[in-house]
Amino acid sequence: MKKRALALAISAAMAASMTTGVTVAAENTDFAGEELSILVSAGWMDNRYDATIERFEDEYGVTVDLQTIPADQYSDLLQSKLATDSCADIFWIQSNPFAIASVIVDPEKYCIDFTGASWEEKIPEARRAACTYDGKLYGLQMWHNSPEYVMLYNKTLFEENGWSVPTNYEELKSLCAEIQDTGITPWFMPGADGWQHQLTFFQIGGVYEEATPGLYDALNNNEATFADNEKMLEVLNEFKEFSDLGYFGEDWIGTDSTNMANEFGDRNCAMAVANSSFIKQIKEDTGTEDEFGLFLEPFGDNTWFPASPAGPTMFGYNGSEHPELVKEFFNFVTTTESLQEILDNSPAYTNIHVNDDAVEQHWLPEEEEFMASIPEEKMSVSVLQNGTKYTNDYWMDFGQDMVSFCQGEMEANDVLANMDTNRAEAAKTAGDPAWN
């Protein structure tokens, strides 16, 4: 690549490009010499896009400036860039049916309108709500359709020790005590990442809706609060109990996910909340012959699958000096060749959720087995952060409050009340009439 500020895994991208054939440089000379900037949070592109970006550079004779920002800094930086009219040509947000209104707020001002683009039909219907606003298409979401952030466990280790997969909280608690007695960390929890530990609370949205039917609608109409919700308090207190008992590891708050695959491969941990396709990464990174499986997270006695038609989504900046080049990039990454390349170069994901039958998916048998085991009626409720307005906008804040709660610096209900306060502020900014 010619120039990639803050780009990841350059050497891996060069190696990947060698396997996809040689493309004649600057094949399309209309944009020769231009630079395309992309602002993205860490983990949303990674090296899976590197080979595709390099082909784009070569074919159009351009330079791509990939600006990868740590997750805990990204939201504030993006808002600053938008507010000062200094955003990159392409920017990303974690989108859901409410996020464009609450995160971007004024998409007509900040986003290129892609309505009618050739790739619009490539976005599955379930994901289009996260890409559109007021009937206009602004975003492109190309995420996977694997079970997201469920319990991943070492099946071989379980079988050797006679451990059974837990189906409720008390069974999980008893299991973790047995695992801990062997010197193995029961549940690997990377608190230092700042965004992973709160998945345990939000991914089980179905259990909150089940406990209080109509809760999602009530939250979206400002007729209910997080504070004083009995099931939410139950889950937060269970999380703290596990923290106090050491079931997440001695220093989970200071532990990041960098070494998680090796922790599994070395049998230093037995379980973690992870994407199902992380099984692929464990095996490829460590060479372990152990087998792995999946089960539903049992906090709150949960039995619901984490349905989530949402994910990282890229947008074209309306203030770009290269709007036509931005459009060409969106066209380029949605070709069958690029979609296949992005999937094949993914270190973890086994599939890409797009309407393109020509793309060869790589589903794991463990994923297919797990999905087949979940009753359809238990897959009907979205995860909490994507089914309720303004919630995902304060993901990092909620995670910080969870840590403070575990450290004894605040009460469980204060964690929930802070989310209510933050959601109200976002609703006010968005001019939501339900909060007037």
Side-chain angles (χ1 to χ4, degrees), residues 266-288:
D266 294 339
R267 291 188 165 192
N268 292 330
C269 68
M271 302 177 291
V273 169
N275 286 316
S276 60
S277 51
F278 192 67
I279 293 171
K280 168 189 169 186
Q281 187 170 342
I282 295 171
K283 291 185 174 182
E284 290 183 353
D285 287 0
T286 70
T288 180

Side-chain angles (χ1 to χ4, degrees), residues 203-391:
Q203 291 295 106
I204 56 174
V207 81
Y208 307 125
E209 178 71 16
E210 180 181 46
T212 309
L215 176 65
Y216 277 34
D217 285 342
L219 286 168
N220 288 334
N221 291 307
N222 194 27
E223 297 168 351
T225 60
F226 278 60
D228 301 316
N229 183 290
E230 292 184 7
K231 181 59 74 169
M232 292 182 182
L233 289 169
E234 176 186 324
V235 171
L236 283 177
N237 282 310
E238 289 174 350
F239 185 93
K240 186 177 187 303
E241 183 176 21
F242 269 44
S243 176
D244 292 344
L245 291 169
Y247 293 163
F248 297 145
E250 291 184 5
D251 179 30
W252 71 267
I253 294 173
T255 300
D256 64 34
S257 61
T258 306
N259 204 40
M260 190 162 83
N262 288 327
E263 289 293 295
F264 269 108
D266 294 339
R267 291 188 165 192
N268 292 330
C269 68
M271 302 177 291
V273 169
N275 286 316
S276 60
S277 51
F278 192 67
I279 293 171
K280 168 189 169 186
Q281 187 170 342
I282 295 171
K283 291 185 174 182
E284 290 183 353
D285 287 0
T286 70
T288 180
E289 295 183 0
D290 286 351
E291 295 299 322
F292 297 85
L294 307 163
F295 63 92
L296 295 175
E297 180 201 323
F299 275 170
D301 294 336
N302 172 61
T303 58
W304 290 83
F305 179 82
S308 183
T313 307
M314 63 178 174
F315 297 79
Y317 178 50
N318 205 27
S320 169
E321 295 181 2
H322 313 286
E324 295 306 314
L325 183 59
V326 171
K327 294 175 183 178
E328 284 299 318
F329 184 79
F330 278 66
N331 291 335
F332 190 85
V333 297
T334 51
T335 64
T336 299
E337 179 182 4
S338 293
L339 293 171
Q340 189 71 63
E341 187 174 53
I342 291 166
L343 173 58
D344 291 348
N345 286 325
S346 171
Y349 301 126
T350 62
N351 61 90
I352 188 166
H353 194 201
V354 292
N355 293 327
D356 190 335
D357 293 337
V359 174
E360 180 184 353
Q361 308 285 358
H362 309 307
W363 289 93
L364 296 175
E366 294 91 340
E367 292 179 304
E368 295 177 320
E369 178 184 358
F370 174 67
M371 294 288 284
S373 72
I374 309 296
E376 187 174 348
E377 62 270 18
K378 288 292 186 177
M379 305 175 78
S380 60
V381 179
S382 172
V383 294
L384 184 64
Q385 69 270 27
N386 294 328
T388 56
K389 292 180 180 178
Y390 316 118
T391 302

Side-chain angles (χ1 to χ4, degrees), residues 52-64:
T52 304
I53 289 175
E54 185 167 0
R55 280 196 305 108
F56 182 77
E57 288 182 318
D58 289 343
E59 185 164 331
Y60 288 87
V62 299
T63 298
V64 174

